[in-house]
Amino acid sequence: MADLYITCAVLTMAMIVNSASVYAQKRHKFYTKRFGVHGQLVHSLVILPFWIVFIVLAANLHDNPQLHYDFINLWVAGVASVTVATALFIGAIRSIGTGALVNANFFKPQKIVSSSVYAYFKNTIYDSCAILLFGLGLIYNKW
């Protein structure tokens, strides 16, 4: 059971480091200012170890671990996560247009969006899907 908790913690850390790294570059040009043409490489080297550790841990989980907490209702936390994911997804679609739902945005000039939810998340639709899957896992308590 401890390996499941560690895996979840590493996933959370990977998402936080990834988001912070993207935010630092997007808003403050952190990597470009400090490392010039090698900024993208340094950015990759910062976030990659977290994702590799998560993948290795997730691949070694047992068949059907269950989360059990006595002090928190996982169903309520799952519903809250699904609600946040849905709001994030709707905000993303409103920002980039409904054509993104069917990849129609590849057939016209794309606009760069750096406001609304995209001011805080680089890949908002992917992030909302990850939060949705996490929330569904909490609701059904099947990992």
Side-chain angles (χ1 to χ4, degrees), residues 67 69 72-87 128-143:
L67 280 178
Y69 287 113
I72 187 170
N73 188 340
L74 294 180
W75 186 85
V76 172
V79 169
S81 295
V82 169
T83 304
V84 167
T86 303
S128 68
C129 290
I131 294 169
L132 174 71
L133 291 173
F134 179 75
L136 290 174
L138 289 178
I139 288 172
Y140 296 111
N141 200 12
K142 301 288 185 194
W143 295 79

Side-chain angles (χ1 to χ4, degrees), residues 53-68:
V53 170
F54 166 69
I55 290 169
V56 169
L57 289 173
N60 291 314
L61 283 177
H62 294 39
D63 288 338
N64 193 13
Q66 298 276 325
L67 280 178
H68 297 286

Side-chain angles (χ1 to χ4, degrees), residues 15 19 79-97 101 113 115-133:
M15 292 174 73
S19 295
V79 169
S81 295
V82 169
T83 304
V84 167
T86 303
L88 195 60
F89 184 80
I90 290 171
I93 295 301
R94 289 187 70 191
S95 295
I96 61 175
L101 291 172
V113 178
S115 60
S116 71
V117 293
Y118 281 96
Y120 305 102
F121 299 98
K122 181 178 174 137
N123 299 314
T124 308
I125 293 176
Y126 294 132
D127 293 337
S128 68
C129 290
I131 294 169
L132 174 71
L133 291 173

Side-chain angles (χ1 to χ4, degrees), residues 22-23 29 35 84 86 103 112 117:
V22 168
Y23 180 80
K29 305 293 184 211
F35 303 104
V84 167
T86 303
N103 291 332
I112 297 176
V117 293

